[in-house]
Amino acid sequence: PFAVLGDFNVIPTDEDVWDIAAFTGSTHVTEPERTALATLRETGLTDVYPRALKYEVPYTYWDYRALAFPKNRGQRIDLVYADAAFADAVTDAYVDRNERKGTGASDHAPVVVDLALDS
Protein backbone atom coordinates (compact mmCIF):
# COMPACT_ATOMS: atom_id res chain seq x y z
CA PRO A 1 0.00 0.00 0.00
CA PHE A 2 1.21 3.50 -0.71
CA ALA A 3 0.06 7.10 -0.75
CA VAL A 4 1.31 10.30 -2.29
CA LEU A 5 0.65 13.11 0.14
CA GLY A 6 1.62 16.59 1.14
CA ASP A 7 1.14 20.26 0.39
CA PHE A 8 0.20 20.27 -3.31
CA ASN A 9 -0.68 24.00 -3.38
CA VAL A 10 -3.56 23.17 -5.72
CA ILE A 11 -7.23 23.49 -4.77
CA PRO A 12 -8.78 20.36 -6.36
CA THR A 13 -12.33 21.70 -6.83
CA ASP A 14 -14.21 24.95 -6.38
CA GLU A 15 -15.80 23.46 -3.25
CA ASP A 16 -12.34 23.10 -1.63
CA VAL A 17 -11.93 26.85 -1.06
CA TRP A 18 -13.93 29.27 1.05
CA ASP A 19 -14.71 31.57 -1.91
CA ILE A 20 -13.73 30.53 -5.43
CA ALA A 21 -14.39 34.07 -6.69
CA ALA A 22 -11.51 35.30 -4.53
CA PHE A 23 -9.12 32.92 -6.34
CA THR A 24 -10.30 32.91 -9.94
CA GLY A 25 -7.35 33.79 -12.17
CA SER A 26 -4.96 33.29 -9.27
CA THR A 27 -2.62 30.53 -8.21
CA HIS A 28 -3.93 27.24 -6.80
CA VAL A 29 -6.91 27.08 -9.19
CA THR A 30 -5.44 27.53 -12.67
CA GLU A 31 -6.29 25.06 -15.41
CA PRO A 32 -2.68 23.76 -15.72
CA GLU A 33 -2.47 23.15 -11.96
CA ARG A 34 -5.80 21.35 -11.79
CA THR A 35 -5.02 19.34 -14.94
CA ALA A 36 -1.73 18.15 -13.44
CA LEU A 37 -3.54 17.10 -10.27
CA ALA A 38 -6.23 15.30 -12.29
CA THR A 39 -3.51 13.48 -14.25
CA LEU A 40 -2.07 12.20 -10.97
CA ARG A 41 -5.50 10.93 -9.88
CA GLU A 42 -6.01 9.27 -13.26
CA THR A 43 -3.17 6.88 -12.45
CA GLY A 44 -5.69 5.12 -10.24
CA LEU A 45 -5.13 6.97 -6.98
CA THR A 46 -8.03 7.84 -4.69
CA ASP A 47 -8.43 11.13 -2.87
CA VAL A 48 -8.55 10.26 0.84
CA TYR A 49 -11.00 13.00 1.76
CA PRO A 50 -10.90 13.88 5.48
CA ARG A 51 -14.16 13.75 7.39
CA ALA A 52 -15.64 17.05 8.43
CA LEU A 53 -15.18 18.02 12.06
CA LYS A 54 -15.99 21.61 12.98
CA TYR A 55 -16.99 22.79 9.50
CA GLU A 56 -18.45 21.12 6.41
CA VAL A 57 -15.27 21.35 4.31
CA PRO A 58 -12.05 20.04 5.88
CA TYR A 59 -9.70 22.88 4.92
CA THR A 60 -6.00 22.36 5.60
CA TYR A 61 -4.63 25.87 5.02
CA TRP A 62 -5.63 29.34 6.24
CA ASP A 63 -3.73 32.55 5.51
CA TYR A 64 -2.32 34.33 8.55
CA ARG A 65 -3.94 37.60 7.46
CA ALA A 66 -7.46 38.99 8.00
CA LEU A 67 -8.39 36.44 10.67
CA ALA A 68 -8.74 33.75 7.99
CA PHE A 69 -8.47 30.86 10.46
CA PRO A 70 -11.13 31.99 12.96
CA LYS A 71 -13.40 32.95 10.04
CA ASN A 72 -12.70 29.57 8.37
CA ARG A 73 -11.59 31.19 5.13
CA GLY A 74 -9.49 28.24 4.11
CA GLN A 75 -8.37 25.97 1.33
CA ARG A 76 -7.95 22.22 1.02
CA ILE A 77 -4.47 22.02 -0.52
CA ASP A 78 -2.79 19.35 1.65
CA LEU A 79 -3.90 16.15 0.00
CA VAL A 80 -3.60 12.39 0.38
CA TYR A 81 -3.84 10.28 -2.78
CA ALA A 82 -3.79 6.56 -2.16
CA ASP A 83 -3.58 3.37 -4.15
CA ALA A 84 -6.42 0.85 -3.70
CA ALA A 85 -4.70 -1.14 -0.94
CA PHE A 86 -4.00 2.00 1.12
CA ALA A 87 -7.47 3.43 0.51
CA ASP A 88 -9.10 0.15 1.58
CA ALA A 89 -7.11 0.23 4.83
CA VAL A 90 -8.25 3.76 5.82
CA THR A 91 -10.35 3.67 8.98
CA ASP A 92 -10.45 7.42 9.55
CA ALA A 93 -9.12 10.67 8.11
CA TYR A 94 -9.46 14.17 9.50
CA VAL A 95 -7.72 17.55 9.67
CA ASP A 96 -6.15 18.29 13.07
CA ARG A 97 -7.23 21.92 13.39
CA ASN A 98 -5.78 22.12 16.90
CA GLU A 99 -2.29 22.07 15.39
CA ARG A 100 -3.11 25.29 13.51
CA LYS A 101 -4.07 27.17 16.66
CA GLY A 102 -1.77 29.26 18.81
CA THR A 103 1.27 31.43 18.45
CA GLY A 104 3.93 30.22 16.05
CA ALA A 105 1.71 27.59 14.46
CA SER A 106 2.01 26.71 10.79
CA ASP A 107 -0.56 28.14 8.38
CA HIS A 108 -1.36 24.49 7.53
CA ALA A 109 -3.03 21.83 9.64
CA PRO A 110 -2.02 18.18 9.22
CA VAL A 111 -4.25 15.58 7.64
CA VAL A 112 -4.32 12.56 9.95
CA VAL A 113 -5.03 9.18 8.36
CA ASP A 114 -5.62 6.09 10.46
CA LEU A 115 -5.05 2.70 8.83
CA ALA A 116 -5.81 -0.92 9.62
CA LEU A 117 -3.13 -2.83 7.74
CA ASP A 118 -2.80 -6.60 7.79
CA SER A 119 0.66 -7.79 8.72
Side-chain angles (χ1 to χ4, degrees), residues 16-109:
D16 291 313
V17 62
W18 70 278
D19 181 6
I20 190 59
F23 288 84
T24 301
S26 181
T27 63
H28 303 345
V29 297
T30 66
E31 190 62 35
E33 290 171 310
R34 286 185 164 176
T35 298
L37 197 60
T39 300
L40 177 62
R41 285 192 310 267
E42 288 167 4
T43 65
L45 298 178
T46 299
D47 184 358
V48 177
Y49 192 88
R51 66 181 163 92
L53 292 175
K54 185 172 182 176
Y55 298 102
E56 186 176 326
V57 178
Y59 299 135
T60 62
Y61 169 86
W62 301 262
D63 197 319
Y64 287 123
R65 298 170 291 182
L67 298 172
F69 184 66
K71 293 178 181 178
N72 199 39
R73 293 181 176 171
Q75 307 165 28
R76 188 174 78 93
I77 60 175
D78 300 274
L79 309 171
V80 178
Y81 289 126
D83 74 344
F86 189 103
D88 288 346
V90 173
T91 59
D92 195 11
Y94 61 93
V95 176
D96 187 354
R97 289 178 49 89
N98 287 330
E99 288 299 318
R100 173 58 174 81
K101 297 176 182 176
T103 305
S106 172
D107 47 4
H108 294 259

